[in-house]
């Protein structure tokens, strides 16, 4: 009898083994960490990156380690991204321009970039307070070109910026 | 603008609160056996390829024009990282996982139980805190590696598209994507793979948000655009697909209902091949875009790369050219005060461009010069924006 093609044979074995192990991991009363390891072993035989990501989700792997960090940092969303490889955009922590754009929806990117630049420049001359933050306050003169522009294009936003940025603002 | 400050050793009380909140969230999102099998063996079935404004998804896929030029644009970062830093974190992680405190925390259900576990094993908690510090310091590298892996996965999944005649490109910015579509007028179908946020904003590989309106004035040669990102519905609303779809076929992924407990409105990259149906679909016959209005922009000399917006919607780009004529649909003029904006598309350095002239041509009023006003930073070195409004020269 002609023997089976080795690659098909390997694939079928992997499929049977991984299906068995996957069901075992899901249906059995095993602790999370254990289940994670079993599923990771099973899936790595058949598919690599996506399955390992799923293993993190299913098992204790992520729960035990990664998520502890994210929980502390209030960044549990990042844990999701790590486990699933999703096209979910996250604000980069410390990206001032993005934070400004998030805080003032509808602001033009170049206006936000200009404010970020002003804040960054000013921050260089400012010392950290006891909480490790810097208190930045922009003057009306510094903000004048931005406010003048917004007076023509979006007066309400201009007023809001003028009110908020000429008062103390905390940055890291 | 409060900033998040990270403490070195987490306060046990805050730690327990956040940890339990996360545990609860995870328990809601555990896949069922059926979902697990799909995730492992048939990930493309996690999503359904949809076409905007078509009740039945897609027309006959066999209608596709085999000779049409098709390009997939992957707008994802390809960052670099220090592997030794990542390896060191992973090694610590292996050791930490074996600590009794980690095992004990995996079993707790209440705040009191968490406090008690920490109280009983302060040494373990201190070691865990050290690990968290190490993780925090290594985070840019871990994140870079994750981004690289994500992009590698996308590339792998795109191989199936390449076999069907799709070219794969990696623009650094959306400006490059727009510029290429303008330059290469034989591109009939495009796919855009990028991150999106819950508000529906798309982001390019440099982290720039793609401006609102970018769908509304794409080159007329483009007949089909596949948007592959998270939060599809929000993306389609934000970029006004309802208006754009009168002249352009827009395809997007839709998460299968039974998976919403896992992903909410996110889209897993592993399902990318689910969009092959869209990639093979024919282009619907639609009306020719009516672009009877026109904006002419003239600069004194060839300078940088600019975006041009009308009523806060992107209508065109000026890519290192001295002048540009941008036809657009007159409905974009809207009814409010007419404001055209011109600003630098990218880059830290934004030398003021000194626009010579902006002219608007409409079927009703003919050619009208716009009142041009340039805004620069208080030290005069950086261009913020140039606006053109109706009312003639000042």
């Amino acid at each position: 009898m002609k023997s089976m093609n080795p690659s098909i044979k390997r694939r079928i074995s992997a499929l049977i083994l991984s299906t068995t192990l996957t069901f075992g991991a899901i249906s059995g009363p095993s602790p999370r960490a254990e289940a994670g390891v079993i599923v990771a072993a099973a899936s790595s035989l058949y598919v690599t990156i996506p399955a390992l990501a799923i293993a993190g989700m299913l098992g204790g792997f992520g729960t035990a380690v990664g998520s502890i960090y994210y929980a502390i940092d209030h960044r549990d969303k990042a844990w999701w991204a790590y486990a699933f490889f999703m096209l979910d955009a996250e604000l980069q922590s410390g990206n001032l321009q993005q934070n400004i754009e998030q805080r003032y929806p509808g602001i033009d990117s170049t206006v936000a970039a200009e404010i970020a630049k002003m804040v960054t420049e000013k921050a260089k001359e400012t010392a950290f307070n006891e909480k490790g933050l810097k208190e930045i306050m922009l003057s009306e003169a510094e903000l004048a070109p931005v406010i003048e522009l917004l007076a023509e294009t979006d007066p309400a936003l201009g007023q809001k910026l003028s009110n908020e940025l000429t008062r103390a603002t905390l940055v890291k | 603008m409060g900033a998040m400050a990270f403490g070195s050793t987490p306060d046990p009380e805050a730690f327990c609160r956040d940890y339990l909140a996360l545990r609860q969230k995870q328990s809601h999102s555990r896949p069922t056996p059926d979902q697990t099998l799909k995730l492992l063996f048939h990930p493309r079935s996690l999503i359904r390829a949809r076409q905007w404004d078509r009740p039945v998804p897609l027309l006959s896929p066999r209608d596709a024009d085999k000779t049409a030029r098709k390009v997939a644009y992957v707008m994802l970062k390809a960052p670099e990282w220090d592997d030794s830093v990542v390896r060191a974190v992973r090694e610590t992680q292996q050791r930490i996982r074996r600590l009794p405190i980690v095992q004990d925390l995996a079993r707790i259900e209440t705040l009191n139980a968490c406090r008690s576990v920490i109280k009983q094993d302060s040494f373990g908690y201190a070691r865990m805190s050290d690990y968290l510090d190490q993780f925090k310091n290594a985070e840019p590298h871990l994140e870079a590696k994750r981004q690289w892996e994500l992009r590698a996965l996308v590339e792998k999944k795109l191989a199936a598209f390449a076999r069907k005649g799709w070219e794969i490109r990696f623009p650094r910015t959306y400006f490059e994507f727009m510029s290429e579509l303008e330059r290469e007028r034989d591109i009939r179908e495009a796919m855009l793979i990028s991150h999106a946020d819950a508000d529906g904003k798309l982001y390019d590989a440099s982290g720039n948000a793609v401006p609102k309106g970018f769908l509304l004035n794409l080159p007329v040669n483009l007949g089909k655009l596949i948007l592959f990102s998270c939060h599809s519905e929000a993306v389609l609303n934000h970029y006004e697909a309802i208006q754009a779809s009168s002249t352009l076929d827009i395809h997007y992924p839709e998460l299968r209902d039974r998976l919403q407990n896992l992903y909410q409105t996110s889209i897993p990259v592993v399902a990318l091949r689910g969009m092959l149906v869209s990639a093979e679909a024919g282009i619907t016959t639609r009306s020719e875009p009516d672009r009877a209005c026109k904006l002419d922009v003239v600069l004194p000399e060839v300078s940088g790369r600019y975006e041009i917006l009308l009523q806060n919607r992107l209508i065109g780009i000026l890519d290192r050219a001295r002048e540009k004529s941008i036809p657009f649909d007159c409905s974009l003029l809207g009814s409010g005060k007419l404001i055209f904006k011109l600003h630098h598309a990218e880059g830290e350095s934004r030398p003021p461009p000194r626009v010579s002239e902006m002219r608007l041509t409409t079927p009703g009023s003919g050619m009208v010069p716009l009142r041009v006003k340039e805004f620069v930073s208080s030290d005069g070195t950086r261009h913020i924006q140039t606006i053109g409004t109706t009312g003639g020269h000042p």
Side-chain angles (χ1 to χ4, degrees):
Chain A
M1 196 175 85
K2 198 180 165 189
S3 65
M4 195 186 283
N5 178 327
S7 96
I8 295 177
K9 195 174 168 186
R10 201 168 52 243
R11 211 171 161 86
I12 290 174
S13 307
L15 185 66
I16 293 168
L17 180 59
S18 55
T19 307
T20 311
L21 290 174
T22 305
F23 272 122
I26 294 162
S27 55
S30 48
R32 284 183 183 194
E34 220 175 287
V37 173
I38 292 168
V39 179
S43 53
S44 64
L45 292 169
Y46 191 69
V47 274
T48 52
I49 298 171
L52 284 172
I54 293 154
M57 169 67 198
L58 284 174
F61 202 118
T63 314
V65 186
S67 60
I68 293 174
Y69 166 76
Y70 288 113
I72 286 164
D73 261 0
H74 307 275
R75 294 191 59 185
D76 45 340
K77 212 166 176 305
W79 185 89
W80 276 89
Y82 194 79
F84 274 99
F85 291 110
M86 293 187 294
L87 294 169
D88 212 345
E90 256 190 80
L91 279 183
Q92 286 171 6
S93 95
N95 185 326
L96 193 52
Q97 185 183 330
Q98 281 188 4
N99 285 332
I100 293 167
E101 286 175 16
Q102 184 83 353
R103 187 176 173 88
Y104 303 104
I107 194 169
D108 290 324
S109 60
T110 45
V111 175
E114 179 58 20
I115 294 169
K117 180 91 182 167
M118 283 190 276
V119 171
T120 312
E121 291 294 315
K122 198 119 187 187
K124 283 181 192 161
E125 305 155 6
T126 311
F128 283 105
N129 67 14
E130 70 282 0
K131 290 179 185 165
L133 300 171
K134 291 184 176 189
E135 257 180 67
I136 308 294
M137 196 187 291
L138 296 175
S139 69
E140 287 188 6
E142 285 164 322
L143 268 179
V146 168
I147 301 301
E148 196 189 335
L149 164 63
L150 291 174
E152 297 248 15
T153 58
D154 190 345
L157 178 61
Q159 190 60 51
K160 192 172 178 203
L161 278 174
S162 175
N163 289 342
E164 294 184 6
L165 295 178
T166 51
R167 292 189 188 138
T169 298
L170 291 176
V171 294
K172 198 167 76 163
Chain B
M1 207 175 312
M4 187 188 285
F6 304 135
S8 55
T9 303
D11 160 35
E13 193 63 29
F15 170 83
C16 285
R17 253 195 332 268
D18 293 336
Y19 179 66
L20 279 168
L22 188 74
R23 285 278 306 279
Q24 199 176 18
K25 194 169 175 181
Q26 277 180 252
S27 65
H28 285 309
S29 51
R30 217 189 253 206
T32 62
D34 169 53
Q35 288 171 339
T36 309
L37 288 176
K38 280 207 160 44
L39 287 162
L40 292 173
F41 301 114
H42 199 225
R44 72 170 70 176
S45 66
L46 300 176
I47 58 166
R48 189 173 23 222
R50 296 299 306 265
Q51 183 178 348
W52 176 264
D53 78 2
R54 287 280 175 273
V56 179
L58 310 172
L59 296 174
S60 157
R62 305 298 159 214
D63 292 344
D65 176 1
K66 304 285 183 209
T67 59
R69 197 154 161 236
K70 298 170 275 194
V71 185
Y73 294 92
V74 182
M75 295 206 301
L76 301 173
K77 287 178 204 164
E80 292 185 352
W81 71 92
D82 183 344
D83 207 40
S84 64
V85 175
V86 172
R87 272 205 309 276
V89 173
R90 296 290 176 230
E91 279 164 19
T92 316
Q93 217 169 58
Q94 292 304 316
R95 288 197 298 276
I96 290 292
R97 283 176 65 193
R98 287 194 284 272
L99 288 179
I101 191 171
V102 173
Q103 309 293 328
D104 292 343
L105 283 170
R107 284 191 285 270
I108 57 116
E109 300 292 342
T110 64
L111 201 57
N112 277 339
C114 177
R115 287 184 195 124
S116 151
V117 164
I118 291 174
K119 202 171 171 186
Q120 279 167 20
D121 190 357
S122 53
F123 175 72
Y125 187 64
R127 284 192 63 191
M128 208 167 70
S129 300
D130 290 344
Y131 158 70
L132 295 172
D133 281 344
Q134 186 187 0
F135 195 109
K136 186 182 77 184
N137 294 331
E139 205 205 355
H141 299 277
L142 292 165
E143 177 59 17
K145 185 167 190 274
R146 192 187 77 81
Q147 290 295 336
W148 184 88
E149 285 169 347
L150 185 143
R151 203 173 104 149
L153 180 59
V154 167
E155 279 186 67
K156 191 175 149 194
K157 297 285 171 191
L158 280 173
F161 291 77
R163 283 195 292 275
K164 298 199 180 293
W166 284 74
E167 295 167 46
I168 317 294
R169 297 196 185 164
F170 299 89
R172 205 171 45 82
T173 62
Y174 69 85
F175 192 92
E176 280 178 32
F177 158 74
M178 301 285 289
S179 183
E180 197 165 304
L181 283 183
E182 277 209 353
R183 220 174 32 244
E184 300 180 28
R185 291 301 181 115
D186 56 341
I187 297 175
R188 284 284 288 149
E189 302 179 23
M191 175 155 68
L192 199 54
I193 299 168
S194 72
H195 288 289
D197 65 18
D199 295 332
K201 279 190 208 155
L202 295 169
Y203 291 87
D204 66 20
S206 302
N208 306 308
V210 178
K212 201 168 172 158
F214 93 101
L215 289 180
L216 302 176
N217 213 34
L218 286 168
V220 289
N221 49 291
L222 193 69
K224 177 166 86 185
L225 180 65
I226 303 170
L227 291 170
F228 189 80
S229 72
C230 284
H231 314 296
S232 294
E233 207 169 301
V235 168
L236 294 168
N237 283 334
H238 183 75
Y239 292 103
E240 300 162 293
I242 192 164
Q243 203 173 338
S245 63
S246 61
T247 55
L248 176 72
D249 281 359
I250 299 171
H251 295 249
Y252 61 96
E254 185 182 73
L255 195 68
R256 302 263 178 189
D257 293 344
R258 58 183 181 277
L259 287 154
Q260 278 165 4
N261 66 321
L262 276 184
Y263 295 107
Q264 279 89 44
T265 54
S266 295
I267 295 291
V269 166
V270 74
L272 180 56
R273 282 186 200 144
M275 295 310 289
L276 275 170
V277 188
S278 285
E280 289 192 277
I283 297 174
T284 321
T285 309
R286 289 173 191 267
S287 55
E288 274 290 305
D290 174 21
R291 294 181 180 170
C293 288
K294 189 177 71 166
L295 175 75
D296 290 293
V297 181
V298 184
L299 270 57
E301 60 195 28
V302 174
S303 54
R305 300 176 134 183
Y306 304 98
E307 319 178 319
I308 297 156
L309 297 97
L310 163 60
Q311 313 295 59
N312 292 322
R313 293 183 178 95
L314 184 77
I315 56 163
I317 56 169
L318 185 62
D319 191 2
R320 296 195 177 102
R322 202 178 79 79
E323 56 182 284
K324 179 83 178 268
S325 191
I326 302 168
F328 59 90
D329 185 333
C330 298
S331 68
L332 294 175
L333 291 169
S335 54
K337 181 185 174 188
L338 199 56
I339 303 172
F340 288 89
K341 293 177 180 173
L342 177 144
H343 58 68
H344 279 267
E346 52 192 16
E348 272 282 295
S349 147
R350 307 190 303 270
R354 294 185 302 277
V355 175
S356 305
E357 215 176 342
M358 285 170 105
R359 295 186 300 263
L360 171 66
T361 307
T362 59
S365 315
M367 200 264 285
V368 180
L370 298 177
R371 187 169 66 93
V372 176
K373 205 166 172 187
E374 193 168 270
F375 295 87
V376 296
S377 58
S378 43
D379 61 6
T381 60
R382 294 179 304 277
H383 180 244
I384 305 173
Q385 204 165 85
T386 298
I387 62 168
T389 50
T390 43
H393 290 294

